[in-house]
Amino acid sequence: MTTIRKSKVSSKSRSHTMKKAGKRKEPLAKPGTPEQGHKRTRKKFDIEDERFEIGDDVYIALSDDVLLPGALGAEGNLVHFCKACQKRGTKKSVLIECTKCMHGYHLHCSDPPLREIPEGLWICQDCQSGNVDKVRPLDSARELVLQQKGLGLGRIESISYDPKKEETFFECRWFCLPEETHIGRQSHHTAREVFLSSHRNEVSAESVFGRARVISLSEFSNDGDADEDMFICDYEYDYQWKRFYRLSEWDNYHSQIDDSDGDDEARDETFRISKELAFGPSTLNQRGRKRKHQGGRSGKFLQLGTNDIQSESRFMKENEVTKASRALSLATVPESMPCREEERADIEDFVRKVLSTSSSKSKAGKCLYICGIPGTGKTASVLEVVREISQESRQSSSNKFHFVEINGLQLPSPMHVYSQLYEALTGETLGPASAAIALEELFSGRSKKSHANQHHVIVLLDEMDSIVNKSQKALYSLFDWPNKSSSNLSIIGIANTMDLPERLHQRIGSRLAGSKVVFHPYTRDDLVVIMKTRLQECPIFDENAVVLAARKVANCSGDVRRCLELCRRSIEIALSNASGKSSRLTVGIRDVDAAIKESFNTPNIKMLEGCTKDQLLFMAAMSLEACYSGQSDSNLHAIYERLNSTFPGYKAPFSSVMQNLANLCACRLVLSDGGGHRLSTKISLNVVADDLVYVMKRRGPELEQIAERLK
């Protein structure tokens, strides 16, 4: 089934004049050699009065001279002609581009004739019948790349300057064509399609031929004009493992904001650092130890991915069902967070206060602690506020700031938070000990870089409870730097533990006690509003069905992610039960009820239903201990004390507790490191807390009250 693309062939093109460019430079000295030690990092470079920065997509000359022949108009722009009537396109008589062959057609020349510009991707009749031109004219830089005639396409990942050679280099991550993959070009590949490869090397800045634009297929479908220098990229390709990795919507979430041009003051640096920290190790390293790039994709498991791209979904017209499934996906980034207006206002007020303080003489920063159970929108709310304020600062050219996002679960150890923060601020890679010293000098005003970096720095420390250790040295340093008089640092900490500041060292807890935002679980009405907001463009759910799903999730945990997955599964069940006679699918109460039974009748829940009251109380004590301590595993002595203090009416001998533990370990509901250590035995809960709450609520009013404390 063919879909339609809403597009006009633009008359904009590159000049046909010859650009001199040096040959592509091979990688220079290996990391650690003296020849590379004197390089300096840069954020930008200029070629022929055009500025290029980290993250830009560029054409790279692979030969000494590159010439762009082609049919040019009087003003030096490429002129497009209709393939059917051979007449040029005008503003009144626009040309629509075929996604497969990139030829232009007037609306009345298409087969069948069109009255208006269609939406989505459009394929001409020749391409549908298989009559595709094998040779296209070399009339643009894009064609030189697609036909491999002296130009390559790459992305700038880091920039360095060699003062000894007086030459600028950048680390290039290359894009590859479908012909360069192990499967070759397939019929479902678009003419503009490229893949972000795993190959990197160092290239001279003199090899840059010009600027290109690489976007996703959905962005290309929604774009009104088809630029000459536009390419489509939805996948990464790993040469070593011969795998394709889908680029999710979140991968492009930060880059969509950073689109301003001009000098450093007008360029928004807010989300560039965050993307590097969140999606793999950065390559901005010149003075420190350089990271080696393996053949596999950084941050991903090797040999995962797909051998091929599914062809049936590339040109399938998106209907209400597919739109609803995409809207309910966990990877979809919502434009706004409903039902979190008060919490969002508190976060926005905090960010604006620290930015207004940074513009004054006093640069003392502040700290904010955000807590709540998982799935309540803590991180998404912070990112939404920062995105909005960064857009305002870019438009007004005031209150510029850097935003750094660090996830504690992605750190090898708590001390590596120093390395991540220093690399994000300076582009250099240092070990934890050296980075801690350098950051101390930076925020104390003793470093030269502290004078060069005048913008305020806001650090989002997500999953903060995962970097808590005995010494708590890393957390103390992080929350001590914002209080220095010469510091321009503010920290927003996010954790699932409510009383984490009270359990930390007194010097750390005092810095978090002042500002605290609590995200309570979503209620039934909140979940209904969220579901309706996401499904407002594709209302395929019955209103009572949405209420049923929201009520079920709100009674268990209030986790919006579980409600999204429940509704997505309801769509799949409705599709499987559809007879095919009805043209419009409606998800009803029966579909949601079937998804609920499927979700809440797992083997773990069946085993929990077979547990005794004492065993459920023991697992409830384990869940509470894990919530208060922030650790997934605890020793038996702490859980035994938690059991007696939380449930005063429960009095059981220690031998009975050990017997319950042995039975739970035999069912694999609880994991243990062995029974030889007695009270110091490390045990952890092997079931989801939501399942435990669900079972306890069905066992009577006494256990139902206890289950409310686990939410």
Side-chain angles (χ1 to χ4, degrees), residues 670-689:
V670 174
L671 301 179
S672 172
D673 63 354
H677 302 289
R678 300 288 293 179
L679 290 176
S680 60
T681 301
K682 288 286 186 179
I683 55 178
S684 61
L685 196 62
N686 197 30
V687 294
V688 183

Side-chain angles (χ1 to χ4, degrees), residues 373-405:
I373 66 172
T376 52
K378 301 184 294 296
T379 305
S381 299
V382 175
L383 293 179
E384 181 188 354
V385 170
V386 173
R387 177 180 58 181
E388 178 182 339
I389 297 180
S390 67
Q391 291 175 345
E392 295 178 1
S393 64
R394 184 173 68 249
Q395 295 173 359
S396 60
S397 300
S398 62
N399 291 335
K400 295 289 184 179
F401 66 98
H402 290 289
F403 177 72
V404 184
E405 181 183 1

Side-chain angles (χ1 to χ4, degrees), residues 310-344:
Q310 297 180 359
S311 59
E312 59 270 13
S313 62
R314 295 307 300 277
F315 299 105
M316 183 181 297
K317 187 175 181 179
E318 193 175 40
N319 52 24
E320 287 188 343
V321 176
T322 55
K323 287 182 180 179
S325 299
R326 179 169 53 84
L328 295 173
S329 174
L330 297 179
T332 301
V333 181
E335 296 181 358
S336 61
M337 294 294 298
C339 306
R340 290 302 181 198
E341 289 78 12
E342 296 182 2
E343 294 83 354
R344 186 188 182 281

Side-chain angles (χ1 to χ4, degrees), residues 60 154-156 170-174 199-203:
I60 301 174
R155 176 169 294 173
I156 301 174
F170 66 91
E171 184 164 359
C172 173
R173 185 172 183 182
W174 295 90
H199 177 60
R200 299 173 174 88
N201 64 351
E202 199 167 40
V203 179

